[in-house]
Amino acid sequence: MSLQAFLDDESSRFATVALVDTNGLLRGQMVSTRSLKGILNAGMGMAPAQLALDPTDQMLEMPGVTDGTSDFHDDPLIVDPTSARRIPWARPGHDLLLLTQYSGDTAALCPRSILKSVLDRAAAAGFTPKYGMELEYTLFDETPESARDKGYRNLKTATMHPSHDLILYQTVQQEWYEAVSDMCGPLRIDLAKMHEEIGGGFMEACIGAGEGLEPADQLMLLKNFIRALAMRQGRCVTFMPRWTEDADSQSIHVHISLKDRSGKPLFYQEGQKNGISQTFRHFLGGLQRYIGDMTLICQPTVNSYRRFAPGTFAPPGLTWGYENRTTCFRVVGHDAGSLRVENRLPGADTNPYLTAAATIAAGVAGIMEKIEPEPEVIGNGHALTGDRPDFARSMPEAIDRLRNSAFAKDWLGPRFVEAFSATRQSQYDQFRKKVPDVELQRFFDLG
């Protein structure tokens, strides 16, 4: 559905105008067709404080936005007309969805605006990223209410056993897979692949590779509407990186390659080992040098760091290897059209715009600075010993590294670095006050 077609249709009544917050959640309002015509010219006001909210609307400290200096004013959202798509399940005339980003000073805090800025900078340097994303999640035969009533323990997952690529479970859940596929049509999501993963109810859905904002838009929409689909079926999903100690970690993997201004792929070179060009090597070198400073973007919540507990399949460090899933940066493909790198660091709770921006920025900087990567990992990366580039292993370390990163300030903006670091510090401080059940069980009686 085009925006103009919706406006020209006399039966059109309401559209949803939406912003993506720092959690990757859609926030917005339904507006009448008459109001929409005005919004397209002048924008729609929304408080920047939306960017300082945790998923359940816990207010986080953001300098100049939610601290003692703030007046909680509105700033204008600018509608992207090319983002128009239809909301599944909505009646015609009420089903238009439009994405926006902040303009003015608040653009410096807006995830969609930040990715656009990084893409523009890469383009100015002669590079066009092509990227796609994989989303991992767990589906439960529980309603959100029943999960809460159980204290989020002993939940019934959609399948009983770990079942990676098991056709039996996939066939049993055919209605779910078909419903996801049907949902993606009106949302213009290029759903490339779905399959069972390595845990009960654990699944993966993959977005086809594309350019510009579109792949991040699609991953964000997929994440929001998969949750809505589950709720409409009396079920629920989680994207927590580690929702129980018995489950493996959940992530979002970013697959990325580069083209030059003429459209020529830059990562492949005939005659080189595995076809890896010098440009590709420099891209890998940039990832190894700079992604660690942006761990907080890839691991944005207090739960994120539980993903790296011993025995999980999460990356062991900022290593790289060809077709090696025990490294963080897995090189995949065999020719100019398929050779790419998979960034396996981000958790499933990451914001897709910010993760794509961080990955593109680090890699492109590596090319511009001609950074050589560390030696390729051969064999099991989890068995490596000795020093190697690493990401932050705790939230305080991640906050400190982002806050003091000249690279992040340069590519993502000093205002974003200040604000995002402050909100994560606020979240961490809130959780430091909590006493987990496991501590009571271990120490209350005899500790």
Side-chain angles (χ1 to χ4, degrees):
M1 172 188 292
S2 72
L3 172 58
Q4 193 58 51
F6 183 86
L7 294 174
D8 290 342
D9 189 340
E10 293 183 356
S11 66
S12 296
R13 293 292 179 264
F14 278 86
T16 298
V17 179
L19 165 79
V20 183
D21 70 10
T22 50
N23 307 297
L25 290 170
L26 279 171
R27 296 180 183 268
Q29 299 172 3
M30 293 184 69
V31 300
S32 69
T33 306
R34 183 182 67 255
S35 298
L36 178 59
K37 292 175 181 177
I39 288 168
L40 292 172
N41 292 322
M44 183 177 83
M46 185 173 284
Q50 296 275 17
L51 300 175
L53 297 176
D54 250 6
T56 56
D57 280 12
Q58 289 292 313
M59 187 72 72
L60 303 175
E61 184 86 358
M62 182 181 281
V65 177
T66 59
D67 61 7
T69 68
S70 177
D71 57 5
F72 293 86
H73 65 280
D74 281 354
D75 274 349
L77 299 175
I78 304 302
V79 173
D80 179 356
T82 68
S83 71
R85 50 249 292 159
R86 293 187 294 115
I87 297 176
W89 321 299
R91 289 193 293 114
H94 297 77
D95 57 348
L96 182 69
L97 172 64
L98 292 164
L99 302 180
T100 68
Q101 60 268 348
Y102 273 108
S103 61
D105 291 344
T106 308
L109 305 175
C110 177
R112 201 167 187 265
S113 296
I114 289 168
L115 175 55
K116 185 178 186 303
S117 175
V118 169
L119 289 168
D120 289 346
R121 185 166 172 179
F127 305 115
T128 300
K130 181 180 180 181
Y131 66 103
M133 296 184 176
E134 302 171 350
L135 173 66
E136 296 176 340
Y137 63 97
T138 299
L139 176 66
F140 300 90
D141 288 335
E142 303 272 2
T143 66
E145 293 77 16
S146 70
R148 182 191 59 205
D149 291 344
K150 290 182 176 182
Y152 304 99
R153 299 288 186 182
N154 302 312
L155 302 181
K156 183 181 179 184
T157 53
T159 57
M160 186 179 300
H161 302 291
S163 54
H164 192 274
D165 288 347
L166 192 65
I167 298 300
L168 171 63
Y169 278 167
Q170 186 170 307
T171 303
V172 169
Q173 300 191 111
Q174 192 68 27
E175 290 82 2
W176 170 257
Y177 285 106
E178 290 174 0
V180 173
S181 175
D182 290 343
M183 176 194 80
C184 287
L187 287 168
R188 284 178 30 214
I189 294 172
D190 180 16
L191 186 64
K193 186 171 65 172
M194 295 184 285
H195 63 90
E196 301 287 306
E197 261 290 351
I198 53 175
F202 192 4
M203 301 177 182
E204 182 178 290
C206 304
I207 299 298
E211 299 176 7
L213 295 170
E214 190 63 24
D217 283 344
Q218 292 182 23
L219 195 285
M220 176 276 302
L221 290 165
L222 179 65
K223 191 173 179 182
N224 278 262
F225 281 90
I226 273 183
R227 180 176 278 120
L229 174 63
M231 293 171 70
R232 289 175 63 86
Q233 293 187 356
R235 306 165 93 181
C236 65
V237 299
T238 189
F239 302 103
M240 287 180 68
R242 199 85 189 277
W243 67 272
T244 173
E245 58 269 25
D246 298 323
D248 210 306
S249 59
Q250 301 191 141
S251 56
I252 288 176
H253 295 158
V254 183
H255 288 249
I256 184 168
S257 62
L258 289 184
K259 298 186 293 186
D260 65 14
R261 288 192 176 99
S262 69
K264 177 185 175 182
L266 293 173
F267 279 5
Y268 182 80
Q269 185 173 339
E270 187 75 35
Q272 297 299 310
K273 181 182 178 183
N274 296 318
I276 297 173
S277 69
Q278 186 60 57
T279 297
F280 194 178
R281 288 184 58 83
H282 288 156
F283 191 94
L284 293 168
L287 291 176
Q288 286 190 309
R289 179 171 296 181
Y290 292 123
I291 279 288
D293 282 358
M294 298 181 287
T295 302
L296 192 63
I297 289 170
C298 297
Q299 314 294 334
T301 72
V302 292
N303 181 257
S304 302
Y305 300 85
R306 299 191 186 281
R307 179 169 161 242
F308 301 95
T312 66
F313 208 60
L318 297 180
T319 52
W320 76 276
Y322 183 73
E323 279 293 1
N324 191 335
R325 283 189 172 87
T326 68
T327 63
C328 185
F329 307 120
R330 171 186 169 232
V331 175
V332 191
H334 57 275
D335 57 23
S338 63
L339 196 65
R340 62 196 186 274
V341 62
E342 176 190 31
N343 178 6
R344 299 172 60 82
L345 181 62
D349 56 350
T350 190
N351 182 301
Y353 299 95
L354 298 178
T355 287
T359 303
I360 293 164
V364 169
I367 297 172
M368 296 170 70
E369 298 172 30
K370 294 182 167 55
I371 300 171
E372 280 292 324
E374 297 290 319
E376 176 186 358
V377 171
I378 307 295
N380 193 326
H382 292 273
L384 287 181
T385 58
D387 293 335
R388 60 183 184 273
D390 206 359
F391 49 88
R393 294 294 176 157
S394 68
M395 198 167 189
E397 181 191 353
I399 292 168
D400 186 63
R401 286 183 67 170
L402 182 65
R403 186 173 272 154
N404 293 295
S405 172
F407 176 84
K409 292 173 185 176
D410 179 25
W411 277 84
L412 307 180
R415 180 72 177 108
F416 168 77
V417 169
E418 173 198 35
F420 191 73
S421 300
T423 61
R424 302 305 101 178
Q425 182 69 59
S426 178
Q427 183 190 93
Y428 179 71
D429 288 345
Q430 289 177 11
F431 276 82
R432 286 174 65 194
K433 302 173 184 177
K434 306 296 183 183
V435 180
D437 290 347
V438 66
E439 291 186 12
L440 292 170
Q441 294 164 5
R442 181 73 62 88
F443 302 117
F444 185 88
D445 288 323
L446 300 173

